């Protein structure tokens, strides 16, 4: 194992409210310090940003600098899972822009801060906030094994019969990787007329698989459409 990414979502009060776990802030910081001592190639912190912790980023940044983690990965709250029942946790257009500008400014200062792999961000920000251009690698370069043995792509993707490709308790993983995953190896934009007609389709191919609505065959979040 070369890289470890640990979730830390804000200062103590916010993190423990968000994770519903008293004492989890200190335990997470202690775990990060322990990992830093083990010589991993990269110890990363991932932070999910909501309207409630957007103003705390500098406070958390100081904590991470003191620990001296290798990188900080930020992403706005996504409309997936339980967040679908809590729309107040999603960033507004202006809040999303504040987050992207914050990351851009930190990178210009030389800090290893990056936006997560999620979404085509448009020409203005795409290479300003991360090291690569957007490409959803779910099912093409990324696979996951769930706690129950299910084989899927990105673990954030909604777990449905069509997104689960097999199970390591009954299937050979290599065979599954080589011969299944077709749902992820065809651009999502081919399933949605709106995406297919978008002038940015050549860059995003329908966007991230984890925010795709597999019932309606459309993207739940599109920075071009929603901004």
């Amino acid at each position: 194992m070369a890289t470890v990414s640990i979730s830390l979502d804000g200062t103590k009060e916010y993190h423990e409210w968000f994770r519903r776990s008293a004492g989890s802030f200190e335990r997470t910081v202690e775990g990060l310090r322990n990992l830093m001592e083990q010589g991993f190639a990269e110890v990363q912190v991932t932070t999910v940003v909501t309207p409630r912790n957007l103003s705390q980023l500098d406070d958390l940044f100081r904590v991470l600098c003191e620990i001296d983690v290798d990188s900080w990965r930020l992403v706005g709250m996504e409309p997936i899972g339980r967040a679908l029942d809590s729309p107040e946790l999603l960033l507004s257009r202006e809040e999303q822009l504040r987050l992207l500008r914050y990351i851009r400014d930190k990178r210009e200062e030389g800090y290893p801060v990056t936006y997560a792999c999620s979404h085509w961000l448009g020409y203005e920000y795409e290479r300003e906030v991360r090291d690569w251009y957007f490409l959803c690698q779910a099912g093409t370069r990324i696979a996951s094994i769930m706690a129950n043995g299910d084989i899927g792509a990105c673990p954030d993707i909604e777990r449905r019969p069509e997104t689960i490709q097999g199970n390591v308790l009954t299937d050979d993983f290599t065979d599954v990787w080589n011969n299944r995953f077709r749902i992820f190896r065809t651009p999502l934009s081919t399933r949605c007329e709106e995406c297919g007609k978008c002038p940015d389709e050549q860059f995003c191919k329908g966007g991230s698989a984890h925010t795709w609505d597999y019932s309606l065959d459309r993207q739940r979040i599109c920075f071009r459409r929603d901004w």
Side-chain angles (χ1 to χ4, degrees):
M1 187 183 297
T3 301
V4 180
S5 186
I6 303 296
S7 293
L8 189 62
D9 294 298
T11 53
K12 175 180 170 60
E13 181 180 2
Y14 177 86
H15 177 82
E16 297 187 0
W17 167 81
F18 188 64
R19 295 289 166 177
R20 299 292 194 267
S21 179
S24 61
F25 181 85
E26 286 84 1
R27 292 196 300 272
T28 302
V29 169
E30 180 183 8
L32 286 166
R33 295 187 194 281
N34 292 339
L35 287 168
M36 292 297 296
E37 295 174 358
Q38 299 306 311
F40 288 97
E42 181 170 6
V43 175
Q44 179 185 79
V45 165
T46 294
T47 298
V48 176
V49 182
T50 72
R52 291 186 60 162
N53 69 342
L54 181 58
S55 62
Q56 297 181 5
L57 293 182
D58 269 335
D59 294 332
L60 181 55
F61 176 72
R62 285 189 283 272
V63 173
L64 302 184
C65 285
E66 196 272 327
I67 301 171
D68 197 26
V69 297
D70 298 302
S71 65
W72 187 21
R73 181 175 181 262
L74 294 152
V75 63
M77 173 67 85
E78 303 276 49
I80 61 175
R82 287 181 293 172
L84 290 170
D85 300 322
S86 302
E88 72 278 4
L89 294 179
L90 302 179
L91 298 178
S92 68
R93 176 184 183 276
E94 182 52 41
E95 288 165 339
Q96 286 277 9
L97 290 174
R98 280 177 58 192
L99 174 58
L100 295 179
R101 291 168 186 149
Y102 180 86
I103 296 171
R104 180 193 60 194
D105 292 346
K106 288 298 183 199
R107 290 170 65 85
E108 288 179 352
E109 294 171 13
Y111 293 105
V113 182
T114 183
Y115 193 78
C117 58
S118 303
H119 313 300
W120 162 251
L121 302 176
Y123 308 106
E124 183 176 357
Y125 289 102
E126 185 63 27
R127 278 302 300 274
E128 297 294 315
V129 298
R130 54 191 174 206
D131 296 334
W132 61 90
Y133 289 107
F134 169 76
L135 172 65
C136 182
Q137 302 180 63
T140 59
R141 300 183 184 182
I142 292 173
S144 300
I145 299 173
M146 316 305 172
N148 65 352
D150 281 348
I151 302 170
C154 168
D156 289 336
I157 293 172
E158 182 181 356
R159 294 173 196 178
R160 306 162 54 106
E162 65 267 38
T163 61
I164 298 300
Q165 304 301 297
N167 189 289
V168 293
L169 301 179
T170 56
D171 301 304
D172 178 75
F173 179 86
T174 301
D175 178 66
V176 171
W177 178 256
N178 288 335
N179 297 298
R180 302 186 195 178
F181 285 92
R182 291 184 181 87
I183 187 174
F184 301 113
R185 295 175 183 173
T186 302
L188 291 169
S189 56
T190 63
R191 302 169 55 170
C192 173
E193 183 178 4
E194 179 185 16
C195 289
K197 292 180 177 179
C198 177
D200 286 0
E201 187 275 340
Q202 61 181 314
F203 304 111
C204 80
K205 302 297 182 184
S208 295
H210 72 280
T211 52
W212 189 259
D213 187 324
Y214 290 88
S215 296
L216 300 178
D217 264 343
R218 72 187 301 268
Q219 187 57 249
R220 287 194 177 109
I221 181 170
C222 168
F223 286 177
R224 180 182 178 90
R225 179 192 68 206
D226 300 331
W227 287 13

